[in-house]
Amino acid sequence: MNSEDKKALFELNGIYKSFGKVKVLENFNFSIQAGRTTVIIGPSGCGKTVLLKLLIILLRPDKGQVFFDGRRIDRLTEQKLIEVRRRCGFLFQAGALFDSQSVAENVAFMLWEHTRLSERDIHRIVHQKLQLVGMEHMEGRFPSELSGGQQKRVALARAIALSPEVVLYDEPTTGLDPIRADTINELILKLNHELNITSIVVTHDMNSAYKIADHIVMLNEGQIIAEGTADQIRSYPDERVQHFIHGQSDEYNGVKINLKT
């Protein structure tokens, strides 16, 4: 399917977001199409994670409009946002598993909170989701007994527990060695294929971006400076893009890239 044929699942119009005197996004416009993987790249501090949280109103914009599936959501109450968020899974950068709960309990948490399913049905779904990420044999373990890569896989199983239409990933391969990082990339591709999920991924990992993306968007100082396919980004003429994707210093050839921490 051509990109023109896909509908916009998320739309951000005229978004402003600041924290105190620090402006993160200013008159920002952006749309994400359904059924594909959009990867957001850019230097630290450019607004990537803020953008991710704005999409499901974990942060509210100071000004502007956020639409999900044609419905404006930035003015909804927290109670009404539950309906929106149930359609979305979120994989946090650190996994954010509950240390006091087992693997199975972590995955079951969303089902306990948001459904009235029987314990038998919940157990079946938990096993199914863990099986999708190759962790069904770890149901009784606790997060402290897992490696970093295993924790990410369990967190991903929890993110898809409610069979969401959308999964948002915040730096899914951070802190993992190349082999385990590629395992996460393969899981993202697998879930997209088997569950027809729309994926939105924030990452600094260009190997990951090139492997999983249908569409790559680069932010710099709160604005989109490039977007396109992996091949288009590789050959994008803007020097800031080339310096970033090749890991070159912001001082290289006198071209400044915002590298706020």
Side-chain angles (χ1 to χ4, degrees):
M1 183 182 290
N2 295 327
S3 60
E4 314 60 65
D5 297 326
K6 295 177 182 287
K7 77 171 184 177
L9 188 61
F10 288 96
E11 289 186 82
L12 282 73
N13 298 328
I15 296 295
Y16 289 77
K17 186 63 185 176
S18 299
F19 297 96
K21 294 182 179 179
V22 179
K23 294 180 180 178
V24 180
L25 299 174
E26 188 171 6
N27 196 25
F28 186 84
N29 299 291
F30 185 47
S31 66
I32 291 175
Q33 293 177 350
R36 71 179 183 182
T37 299
T38 299
V39 173
I40 303 166
I41 63 172
S44 298
C46 70
K48 301 186 302 297
T49 297
V50 169
L51 171 57
L52 208 61
K53 291 180 177 180
L54 284 167
L55 290 172
I56 54 173
I57 318 300
L58 292 177
L59 289 172
R60 292 183 185 267
D62 301 328
K63 184 180 175 182
Q65 302 172 330
V66 181
F67 291 87
F68 173 62
D69 199 16
R71 178 188 185 188
R72 186 173 178 182
I73 62 172
D74 56 281
R75 291 182 174 177
L76 295 180
T77 64
E78 285 298 313
Q79 183 64 32
K80 290 184 178 179
L81 280 168
I82 291 173
E83 176 190 339
V84 173
R85 292 172 182 155
R86 283 189 61 177
R87 297 171 63 185
C88 303
F90 201 117
L91 180 64
F92 294 93
Q93 184 173 334
L97 297 176
F98 300 117
D99 294 335
S100 61
Q101 293 185 348
S102 69
V103 164
E105 290 168 336
N106 265 281
V107 179
F109 179 79
M110 297 297 287
L111 297 165
W112 289 332
E113 288 290 304
H114 297 292
T115 75
R116 296 182 179 179
L117 294 171
S118 67
E119 283 299 314
R120 181 177 180 177
D121 285 338
I122 288 175
H123 178 75
R124 175 182 54 79
I125 293 169
V126 166
H127 185 78
Q128 178 191 54
K129 302 306 182 184
L130 286 170
Q131 198 169 38
L132 276 171
V133 300
M135 291 293 289
E136 70 277 10
H137 58 295
M138 298 283 194
E139 289 186 7
R141 299 259 184 115
F142 286 82
S144 60
E145 301 175 284
L146 305 177
S147 69
Q150 289 173 331
Q151 290 182 22
K152 285 280 177 83
R153 286 154 68 185
V154 172
L156 183 51
R158 185 179 64 184
I160 62 171
L162 293 173
S163 299
E165 300 164 44
V166 184
V167 177
L168 300 93
Y169 301 83
D170 190 10
E171 299 286 1
T173 60
T174 291
L176 302 180
D177 64 58
I179 293 174
R180 287 172 175 80
D182 197 52
T183 298
I184 298 299
N185 293 334
E186 290 290 343
L187 281 173
I188 293 172
L189 291 171
K190 177 183 178 181
L191 294 177
N192 290 352
H193 175 70
E194 294 188 10
L195 305 180
N196 195 30
I197 286 174
T198 299
S199 296
I200 305 161
V201 184
V202 161
T203 187
H204 286 96
D205 182 347
M206 291 310 303
N207 288 330
S208 177
Y210 291 145
K211 181 165 187 171
I212 66 175
D214 296 310
H215 191 71
I216 298 176
V217 176
M218 180 167 173
L219 303 188
N220 190 54
E221 297 186 339
Q223 295 295 325
I224 296 172
I225 63 168
E227 58 181 308
T229 64
D231 286 341
Q232 288 169 333
I233 292 296
R234 282 191 183 98
S235 59
Y236 207 83
D238 190 314
E239 286 185 304
R240 295 169 297 176
V241 177
Q242 291 303 311
H243 295 165
F244 179 83
I245 66 176
H246 293 297
Q248 296 169 331
S249 167
D250 62 327
E251 294 292 340
Y252 186 78
N253 279 346
V255 176
K256 295 281 188 178
I257 297 179
N258 180 14
L259 294 177
K260 301 173 187 174
T261 57

